[in-house]
């Protein structure tokens, strides 16, 4: 019997967890709310560098402007910042997930100074997967 490498085991576990999340979503689990869950994550972790007048890469994430990034093209990669229904095709998700370089992106993982909590990354992923609605 062959042993799985640590990396292979991690991939299997991530796949299993992802299947449970997709299944829960498919069974009607509530998706995260932009105004109640996603914008507070952006406010707490992103707005210091991404505010009107001084936004890095022109990406404004303040509450009055953040939702306008849905469907908008990234300045760093050949993909939209937020592609409703597809976290893997959403550059903002790739940046906070630390997978942006694999998506042919540039620069550092966001936010600078430390990764988001896993629960926050998952909330963003589920919000995008559910269609990135403005609620």
């Amino acid at each position: 019997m062959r042993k799985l490498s640590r990396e292979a085991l991690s991939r299997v576990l991530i796949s299993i967890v992802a299947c449970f999340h997709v299944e829960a979503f498919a069974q009607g689990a509530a998706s995260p709310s932009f105004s109640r869950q996603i914008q507070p994550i952006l406010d707490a972790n992103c707005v210091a560098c991404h505010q009107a007048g001084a936004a890095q890469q022109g990406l404004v994430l303040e509450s009055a402007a953040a939702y306008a990034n849905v469907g908008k093209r990234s300045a760093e990669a050949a993909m939209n910042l937020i592609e409703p229904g597809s976290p893997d095709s959403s550059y903002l998700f790739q940046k906070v997930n630390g997978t942006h370089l694999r998506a042919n992106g540039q620069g550092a993982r966001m936010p600078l100074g430390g990764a988001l909590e896993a629960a926050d990354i998952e909330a963003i992923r589920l919000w995008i997967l559910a269609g990135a609605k403005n609620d």
Side-chain angles (χ1 to χ4, degrees):
M1 181 176 212
R2 198 175 90 169
K3 279 187 165 181
L4 285 177
S5 70
R6 190 171 247 181
E7 183 178 339
L9 184 58
S10 292
R11 286 182 185 160
V12 168
L13 291 174
I14 288 170
S15 295
I16 291 169
V17 170
C19 287
F20 282 116
H21 283 292
V22 169
E23 181 64 24
F25 177 73
Q27 292 179 1
S31 65
S33 162
F34 179 76
S35 61
R36 290 187 310 275
Q37 291 164 287
I38 305 306
Q39 187 62 54
I41 294 169
L42 300 177
D43 289 342
N45 298 283
C46 309
V47 169
C49 296
H50 293 280
Q51 55 187 295
Q56 298 293 315
Q57 298 294 329
L59 177 62
V60 179
L61 295 174
E62 291 174 295
S63 61
Y67 191 77
N69 292 299
V70 173
K72 183 178 175 184
R73 202 73 171 161
S74 167
E76 290 188 355
M79 58 179 26
N80 286 340
L81 290 166
I82 301 166
E83 182 61 40
S86 183
D88 290 339
S89 299
S90 300
Y91 193 61
L92 183 130
F93 176 73
Q94 298 295 327
K95 286 290 272 194
V96 300
N97 196 41
T99 54
H100 61 290
L101 298 177
R102 284 185 260 164
N104 296 315
Q106 307 170 29
R109 180 180 187 164
M110 292 291 132
L112 292 175
L116 292 178
E117 297 289 326
D120 291 343
I121 294 170
E122 182 65 2
I124 292 169
R125 188 187 77 76
L126 289 174
W127 171 70
I128 293 170
L129 187 63
K133 293 180 178 47
N134 188 9
D135 56 353

